């Protein structure tokens, strides 16, 4: 599958096979084969590739990566955490849950009261240490005899 230079994906994409990104992806990618990001392709979000991920010299990736093999070519842009190896991608990634706006409670549902939080007692800062001034004898010391 190819996402071309004028294609833009916002959300999540699961691909059986390989994926080549030349367009823009804002979201999660999970691919059973290889992923190639190049020719101005830009991905912002987590990427899971069961085979290999290649960020080409004109590609950009900002997001965490779970791959068996990783190639970042000279000139590519990559920012994120990497988990690598066959075992990493063999275990399924946590499914990406769509974000939902919090809903106000329904009228028939009882609303639970929240207990107030008590403020902590203020801590008094320690007294400053007084250092002897230059030329004066510290308290309790004997003057030097010459």
């Amino acid at each position: 599958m190819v996402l071309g230079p004028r294609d833009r994906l916002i959300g999540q994409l699961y691909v059986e096979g390989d994926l080549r990104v030349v367009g823009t992806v804002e979201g999660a990618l999970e691919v059973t084969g290889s992923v190639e990001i190049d020719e101005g392709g830009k991905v912002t979000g987590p990427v899971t590739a069961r085979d290999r991920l290649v960020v080409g010299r004109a590609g950009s990736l900002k997001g965490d990566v779970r791959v068996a093999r990783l190639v970042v070519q000279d000139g590519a842009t990559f920012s994120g955490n990497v988990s690598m190896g066959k075992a990493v991608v063999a275990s399924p990634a946590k499914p990406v849950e769509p974000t939902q706006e919090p809903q106000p409670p329904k009228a028939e549902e009882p609303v639970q009261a929240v207990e107030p939080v008590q403020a902590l007692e203020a801590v008094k800062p320690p007294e400053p240490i007084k250092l002897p001034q230059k030329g004066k004898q510290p308290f309790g010391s004997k003057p030097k005899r010459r």
Side-chain angles (χ1 to χ4, degrees), residues 35-69:
V35 176
E36 181 182 356
I37 305 166
D38 203 5
E39 295 182 30
K42 182 177 180 182
V43 176
T44 305
V47 177
T48 300
R50 296 227 164 82
D51 187 18
R52 151 178 112 143
L53 169 64
V54 177
V55 184
R57 65 179 129 238
S60 172
L61 171 59
K62 288 183 183 179
D64 294 344
V65 173
R66 293 168 44 104
V67 294
R69 295 180 297 158

Side-chain angles (χ1 to χ4, degrees), residues 68-87:
R69 295 180 297 158
L70 175 64
V71 177
V72 180
Q73 294 179 348
D74 186 29
T77 302
F78 173 67
S79 176
N81 297 311
V82 177
S83 297
M84 246 173 76
K86 288 284 185 190

